[in-house]
Amino acid sequence: MLRGIQLASTIIAIGLTLTACQKNKGEVGEPKRPECIAPAKPGGGFDLTCKLTQNAFKETQLLKSPMRVTYMPGGVGAVAYNKIVANDPANNNAIVAFSTGSLLNLAQGKFGQYTERDVRWLAIVGTDYGVVAVNAESPYQNLNDLIAALKKDPKAVSFGAGGSVGGQDWMQTAMLAKAAGVDPKQMTYIALEGGGEAITSVLGNHIQVVSAGIAEVIPHVKSGKLRALAVFAPERLPNALANIPTAKEQGYDIQWPVVRGYYVGPKVSDAAYQWWKTSFEKMMADPKFAKSREQFDLLPLSMTGTELDHFVMQQTHQLRDLSKEFDLISE
């Protein structure tokens, strides 16, 4: 009888030990050293995208370990994309920020041999819109002032943005120039590494106009250091963004939505991918996340899994067509 009791106690003890081990290990697929890679210098849209998810995972307590943000500038996303695909494809801990600009670069073949089919698309957590802004001391008070200066002498107005000719922020200015009857190739465009560097340049009067995403610019508009001339949205944006006029209402029907999301390496385990996907879905359903997204001046847009895959493929196809229209890639 005593032996039976001892055996039962041993079995219970083993069961408790196994349960404790499972708890220590965390959920299946949960990253041990979670990391968000921002593929640019600090201060731009990729940084904002990583900071949003870092903050949201902390507030919703879906991650046991704190998420760190690391910076991997180069080629406006190309260095990070190539590293993840070629050198670190099975990194279950890392997610990488992407935007519409990333998809545009993929559409134009700027990520080398790799295409939009070479990573696992994870989640889109919000969207903002393109904007053109100037230093608060600039003589350009509105979009028509800027257009008048462009028409007078396209080379006399210096635009700067995070990315080279053909990139997302260049595309916004090119579409604006085209709508105004100005040849985009005649414009003065300064390519910088990331939105943070571009904003620093306009604040320092090294360039006259910055083309970026509204979420990157709005903190400096709120502080009175920058003046947003136009947002490329179909209508005025809500809340703190409501005072910024659209390009459309000023006579130029240009729209450029900028999605904010994440991808992971192509060989990330199914368990890890599923953990990230499910956790993002839980996070985006939490009212705390909605509040956090608003604080980062992003608008609601949530997408994961198969729906996101279809979206990425469709977007890159459309962006290839747009790039052909501007002679950025051949037929």
Side-chain angles (χ1 to χ4, degrees):
M1 181 73 175
L2 180 61
R3 210 171 150 188
I5 292 171
Q6 288 173 334
L7 181 61
S9 299
T10 302
I11 292 170
I12 291 169
I14 291 170
L16 289 171
T17 302
L18 288 172
T19 302
C21 286
Q22 285 295 327
K23 285 183 178 179
N24 290 336
K25 285 181 181 178
E27 295 179 31
V28 174
E30 181 174 354
K32 295 177 181 178
R33 296 177 298 279
E35 171 187 26
C36 184
I37 298 172
K41 293 179 180 179
F46 291 139
D47 188 10
L48 177 149
T49 307
C50 279
K51 293 284 178 61
L52 169 62
T53 198
Q54 180 189 48
N55 183 64
F57 269 119
K58 181 180 179 181
E59 288 195 342
T60 55
Q61 299 182 332
L62 288 166
L63 267 174
K64 290 184 173 63
S65 303
M67 173 178 279
R68 63 193 174 103
V69 176
T70 56
Y71 302 95
M72 198 177 293
V76 195
V79 168
Y81 203 87
N82 278 260
K83 180 184 183 299
I84 286 294
V85 176
N87 302 325
D88 207 11
N91 188 339
N92 293 336
N93 294 304
I95 62 175
V96 189
F98 82 92
S99 70
T100 302
S102 310
L103 304 183
L104 180 61
N105 284 343
L106 282 165
Q108 295 174 4
K110 289 185 177 179
F111 285 2
Q113 62 182 309
Y114 302 117
T115 74
E116 64 274 17
R117 299 182 184 277
D118 288 313
V119 297
R120 302 184 75 173
W121 300 99
L122 181 61
I124 285 176
V125 295
T127 184
D128 65 337
Y129 286 87
V131 65
V132 284
V134 295
N135 192 299
E137 299 172 357
S138 170
Y140 307 135
Q141 297 296 315
N142 51 52
L143 189 59
N144 284 312
D145 287 347
L146 175 61
I147 295 297
L150 263 180
K151 287 182 173 180
K152 184 178 179 181
D153 184 358
K155 294 187 181 300
V157 182
S158 58
F159 286 84
S164 60
V165 169
Q168 167 176 278
D169 297 326
W170 176 89
M171 189 69 77
Q172 293 175 173
T173 64
M175 292 168 73
L176 184 62
K178 188 176 180 182
V182 173
D183 182 357
K185 294 176 183 177
Q186 298 299 312
M187 296 165 56
T188 297
Y189 180 80
I190 313 296
L192 299 160
E193 185 58 55
E197 190 174 350
I199 289 168
T200 299
S201 295
V202 78
L203 288 171
N205 289 313
H206 303 298
I207 58 173
Q208 291 168 282
V209 187
V210 63
S211 173
I214 189 69
E216 300 171 78
V217 166
I218 196 62
H220 306 283
V221 173
K222 288 177 180 177
S223 70
K225 294 179 180 178
L226 290 183
R227 180 187 304 119
L229 301 183
V231 62
F232 300 126
E235 57 190 27
R236 289 209 182 195
L237 302 178
N239 305 320
L241 310 176
N243 291 330
I244 301 173
T246 65
K248 184 177 181 179
E249 72 185 68
Q250 296 178 80
Y252 304 93
D253 190 4
I254 301 164
Q255 297 178 31
W256 192 270
V258 182
V259 300
R260 302 289 179 188
Y262 316 87
Y263 65 83
V264 296
K267 295 182 181 179
V268 162
S269 71
D270 288 340
Y273 179 84
Q274 194 58 44
W275 186 92
W276 280 114
K277 176 179 176 291
T278 302
S279 296
F280 266 105
E281 289 167 350
K282 289 178 183 176
M283 184 178 77
M284 290 188 285
D286 193 312
K288 292 177 186 174
F289 176 73
K291 186 176 180 181
S292 184
R293 178 167 54 191
E294 185 178 325
Q295 288 172 344
F296 279 80
D297 296 301
L298 291 178
L299 301 167
L301 180 65
S302 301
M303 214 178 291
T304 61
T306 304
E307 182 187 13
L308 176 55
D309 287 339
H310 289 322
F311 173 83
V312 167
M313 301 309 151
Q314 180 187 50
Q315 283 290 296
T316 48
H317 177 74
Q318 291 176 354
L319 291 168
R320 280 192 185 95
D321 288 343
L322 183 63
S323 297
K324 289 173 185 174
E325 185 182 325
F326 280 92
D327 298 322
L328 297 168
I329 54 177
S330 56
E331 292 292 336

